[in-house]
Amino acid sequence: KAGVTQTPRYLIKTRGQQVTLSCSPISGHRSVSWYQQTPGQGLQFLFEYFSETQRNKGNFPGRFSGRQFSNSRSEMNVSTLELGDSALYLCASSPRGSFDTEAFFGQGTRLTVV
Amino acid sequence: GENVEQHPSTLSVQEGDSAVIKCTYSDSASNYFPWYKQELGKRPQLIIDIRSNVGEKKDQRIAVTLNKTAKHFSLHITETQPEDSAVYFCAATSGGYQKVTFGTGTKLQVIP
C-alpha cells in the first residue's frame, strides 16, 4: 500500500506570492489533516478534512485555506506569503478521524519564503 | 482550547539508561494520547498511543502512562539505544471530531 504522498517536496517563493501544496492520502483513508512544523513552535494543527468537508480548524489566519476532493486528495493554499510562513508543511491521513486512531504522515513540503 | 505542555525540550542519556518524557494537557475531555517519533529529516511516526480508559500501555521497551486526574501522561523508554535518538512529540485529542494538539517536542540524544 502506498504511503501518504506530498508534492512538491521543496518550494521557494517570494513574499506576497501564493502557494498550493498537495497531499495524496493512503488509499481508503478519508481524513486528511495539515500541520505546520517550525523549530520554535513544533507541530501546529492547521485544519482537517473528511469527505470533502473541513471538520476542524486550528488558529491560523484566513490566508491559510484548504480543500479536499472526492478522491480524498487534499490541497492547502497559502496566499500573500510572509517570511514567517517558511516551514515544513506536513499532512497526515487516517481512516476516519483526525486523531482517534493512528495517523500516517507524509514526508512534508519544505516551503521557504524569501 | 487544548494546551499541551511537554518536558524536557532536550534530553541526553547514556545508552542502556531509561528516558522519561512528560506531557500535561488542559482539556479534561481529551481522550486519545499518541506519541510520535521523528528522526532527523523524516516524517513523524506513531510509536505508541493510549486512550483515556487505560492507565498504562507497554510495547517492548516503550511504555506510556496516563493520569487522568492530574491530566498528565508520560513516555518511558527503557534500555535506550542510539537509534532511539530522535524528536518525540506527545499529542492530545478531544472533541467530537478529534481536534489534535501537539506538544513542542523533546529531542532525545542517546550517547553510545
Side-chain angles (χ1 to χ4, degrees):
Chain A
K1 208 179 219 186
V4 179
T5 304
Q6 290 187 247
T7 56
R9 291 292 309 280
Y10 303 93
L11 266 178
I12 299 176
K13 290 286 187 178
T14 305
R15 272 183 302 174
Q17 287 186 313
Q18 75 165 19
V19 66
T20 299
L21 313 181
S22 179
C23 174
S24 294
I26 290 172
S27 178
H29 285 191
R30 297 167 66 187
S31 169
V32 175
S33 50
W34 288 88
Y35 306 86
Q36 181 192 67
Q37 185 172 28
T38 56
Q41 298 295 321
L43 273 165
Q44 291 192 291
F45 173 73
L46 280 154
F47 29 65
E48 185 241 353
Y49 286 87
F50 182 85
S51 293
E52 302 178 67
T53 301
Q54 187 184 90
R55 291 199 303 189
N56 277 309
K57 192 177 190 307
N59 299 321
F60 278 81
R63 300 185 296 108
F64 292 81
S65 63
R67 59 178 176 169
Q68 186 180 35
F69 302 95
S70 58
N71 62 357
S72 293
R73 189 177 71 86
S74 178
E75 288 182 347
M76 189 191 94
N77 184 274
V78 187
S79 63
T80 320
L81 283 165
E82 300 176 0
L83 295 179
D85 297 333
S86 296
L88 179 67
Y89 291 88
L90 292 160
C91 74
S93 77
S94 63
R96 56 182 186 273
S98 180
F99 259 95
D100 68 345
T101 185
E102 180 174 3
F104 296 84
F105 282 88
Q107 288 277 37
T109 294
R110 170 88 47 198
L111 172 65
T112 302
V113 182
V114 298
Chain B
E2 174 70 279
N3 182 47
V4 176
E5 293 189 0
Q6 183 172 349
H7 300 281
S9 56
T10 59
L11 179 59
S12 290
V13 300
Q14 292 289 333
E15 182 178 358
D17 287 350
S18 295
V20 180
I21 302 170
K22 299 181 179 181
C23 289
T24 60
Y25 60 98
S26 60
D27 187 350
S28 57
S30 290
N31 54 13
Y32 177 64
F33 307 90
W35 285 88
Y36 280 76
K37 174 184 179 183
Q38 187 176 27
E39 296 176 38
L40 190 62
K42 297 190 176 181
R43 69 191 79 192
Q45 291 192 293
L46 182 76
I47 55 170
I48 195 165
D49 55 14
I50 192 167
R51 299 186 187 276
S52 57
N53 58 348
V54 176
E56 184 176 3
K57 184 176 178 181
K58 286 184 181 179
D59 183 3
Q60 300 183 337
R61 297 185 296 108
I62 294 173
V64 57
T65 57
L66 171 65
N67 183 324
K68 284 196 303 180
T69 303
K71 287 191 268 187
H72 69 69
F73 56 112
S74 300
L75 177 71
H76 304 253
I77 306 174
T78 59
E79 300 172 21
T80 53
Q81 301 167 4
E83 51 265 39
D84 294 329
S85 296
V87 178
Y88 292 80
F89 292 96
C90 65
T93 64
S94 60
Y97 293 131
Q98 300 294 339
K99 189 171 180 178
V100 62
T101 304
F102 280 91
T104 49
T106 296
K107 184 175 181 180
L108 173 64
Q109 181 184 18
V110 179
I111 303 166

